[in-house]
Amino acid sequence: MRRNIVAGNWKMNNDLPQTEALLQDLKKHVVPDNVSVMVAPTFVNLYHAFESVREYSVEVIAQDMHQAKSGAFTGEVSAAMLKSVGVKTTIIGHSERRAMFWETNEILALKVNAALENDMTSVFCFGEELEDRKSGNHFNIVKEQLEEGLFHVKNDDFKNIILAYEPVWAIGTGETASPEQAQEMHKYVRGLVTDAYTNEIAENVSILYGGSVKPANAKEIFANPDVDGGLIGGAALKAEDFMAIVNSF
Ligand code: PGA
């Protein structure tokens, strides 16, 4: 059975004291049994965050990582470095990485491989831009992103994959995909996984929705049969809002 997951992507927000303050606020809430909760602070605060939530049922994950094992890649962080501070999961291919840091499907495929080689889980993000949706090309774009970035992994490796559909036009814009649009794409993606792998693998993979999820809309988005949770940006920065989303299943 697939897991319900709510992951908070803090992006480039929260210095060390702010990280600790938000974690303390989160720790005032009880995490329900039916949801896996993750938070992704910036690299520099991962170790602190990991130590801070040791006794609490929230997993600390990374926002990105580099595909190489080690070496002359100034400013980058490897899978082994993440693992050494307790991180076992990383977001890969967030649309901000794709758009602002020129990460291509080919690069993302290498990042997924590096994560798998280190027995780490990837939250693999994909999603169309507004023009793609307007021109009706959104299904093709998503198919291409998955085929080029992800579908080379072996059947067995899919247990270390979480999918996150994030339509770019809905990220940080306040505009959310309707529950019907989210369900339609998630169902399509599950079908792609069935075709490329097996029905069992497709039924077991969690597909998260991301893009302006808030306490006010989380319930109706999560109620869809193929939506297994959310990747949350802005609303993850306030403990009350984030935990209200976590409690929306
Ligand atoms: P948002 O961001 O919730 O602020 O729209 C979502 C994301 O980028 O993962």
Side-chain angles (χ1 to χ4, degrees), residues 9 11 94-96 166 170-174 210-213 231-235:
N9 175 9
K11 308 191 179 182
H94 190 277
S95 65
E96 286 150 21
E166 297 211 309
I171 296 177
T173 57
S212 300
V213 178
L231 182 54
I232 318 299

Side-chain angles (χ1 to χ4, degrees), residues 162-188:
I162 297 165
L163 298 175
Y165 169 54
E166 297 211 309
V168 178
W169 48 271
I171 296 177
T173 57
E175 194 170 331
T176 320
S178 67
E180 294 74 27
Q181 286 172 322
Q183 169 57 22
E184 180 184 43
M185 183 60 86
H186 283 225
K187 190 172 176 208
Y188 172 71

Side-chain angles (χ1 to χ4, degrees), residues 7 16 39 51 55 74 103 105 110 129 134 163 166 180 186 203 233 240:
L16 181 58
V39 293
E51 290 293 324
E55 309 290 318
T74 300
E103 294 194 2
N105 293 334
L110 297 175
E129 303 202 16
K134 281 189 175 156
L163 298 175
E166 297 211 309
E180 294 74 27
H186 283 225
E203 284 303 319
E240 283 67 32

Side-chain angles (χ1 to χ4, degrees), residues 65 67 105-115 117 149 152:
M65 60 168 217
Q67 62 272 27
N105 293 334
E106 292 69 29
I107 292 174
L108 301 177
L110 297 175
K111 292 194 177 202
V112 169
N113 293 348
E117 278 160 25
H152 61 284

Side-chain angles (χ1 to χ4, degrees), residues 5-240:
I5 299 170
V6 174
N9 175 9
W10 294 2
K11 308 191 179 182
M12 199 172 75
N13 295 295
N14 293 334
D15 62 15
L16 181 58
Q18 290 165 329
T19 294
E20 178 54 17
L22 181 48
L23 293 172
Q24 289 301 339
D25 283 349
L26 286 173
K27 285 193 260 188
K28 291 176 192 149
H29 299 258
V30 176
V31 175
D33 289 341
N34 62 338
V35 195
S36 297
V37 179
M38 305 172 174
V39 293
T42 184
F43 284 135
V44 74
N45 291 323
L46 283 174
Y47 182 58
H48 176 85
F50 177 77
E51 290 293 324
S52 176
V53 300
R54 250 181 205 286
E55 309 290 318
Y56 184 58
S57 34
V58 161
E59 182 184 351
V60 172
I61 71 171
Q63 298 176 15
D64 182 33
M65 60 168 217
H66 195 265
Q67 62 272 27
K69 282 194 174 68
S70 63
F73 300 98
T74 300
E76 293 295 331
V77 173
S78 71
M81 289 170 185
L82 293 176
K83 281 190 79 180
S84 74
V85 296
V87 173
K88 297 197 192 85
T89 302
T90 182
I91 298 171
I92 301 269
H94 190 277
S95 65
E96 286 150 21
R97 300 293 319 169
R98 291 175 184 265
M100 291 188 252
F101 303 95
W102 312 285
E103 294 194 2
T104 60
N105 293 334
E106 292 69 29
I107 292 174
L108 301 177
L110 297 175
K111 292 194 177 202
V112 169
N113 293 348
L116 289 171
E117 278 160 25
N118 284 276
D119 205 22
M120 286 178 68
T121 295
S122 300
V123 180
F124 186 85
C125 302
F126 54 92
E128 81 282 0
E129 303 202 16
L130 188 57
E131 308 85 77
D132 306 319
R133 179 148 293 259
K134 281 189 175 156
S135 64
N137 203 28
H138 44 298
F139 292 116
N140 288 339
I141 291 287
V142 161
K143 186 165 189 261
E144 187 177 284
Q145 289 173 335
L146 289 168
E147 285 181 347
E148 293 182 4
L150 185 69
F151 282 177
H152 61 284
V153 309
K154 297 197 193 78
N155 286 30
D156 252 13
D157 289 332
F158 230 83
K159 61 181 183 307
N160 283 332
I161 303 295
I162 297 165
L163 298 175
Y165 169 54
E166 297 211 309
V168 178
W169 48 271
I171 296 177
T173 57
E175 194 170 331
T176 320
S178 67
E180 294 74 27
Q181 286 172 322
Q183 169 57 22
E184 180 184 43
M185 183 60 86
H186 283 225
K187 190 172 176 208
Y188 172 71
V189 167
R190 209 176 294 284
L192 292 177
V193 178
T194 303
D195 293 346
Y197 293 90
T198 66
N199 190 45
E200 194 189 347
I201 289 175
E203 284 303 319
N204 283 324
V205 67
S206 298
I207 310 180
L208 316 185
Y209 167 80
S212 300
V213 178
K214 306 181 265 288
N217 60 22
K219 245 195 184 83
E220 54 173 1
I221 295 172
F222 295 172
N224 290 289
D226 288 295
V227 179
D228 308 307
L231 182 54
I232 318 299
L237 298 173
K238 275 207 196 120
E240 283 67 32

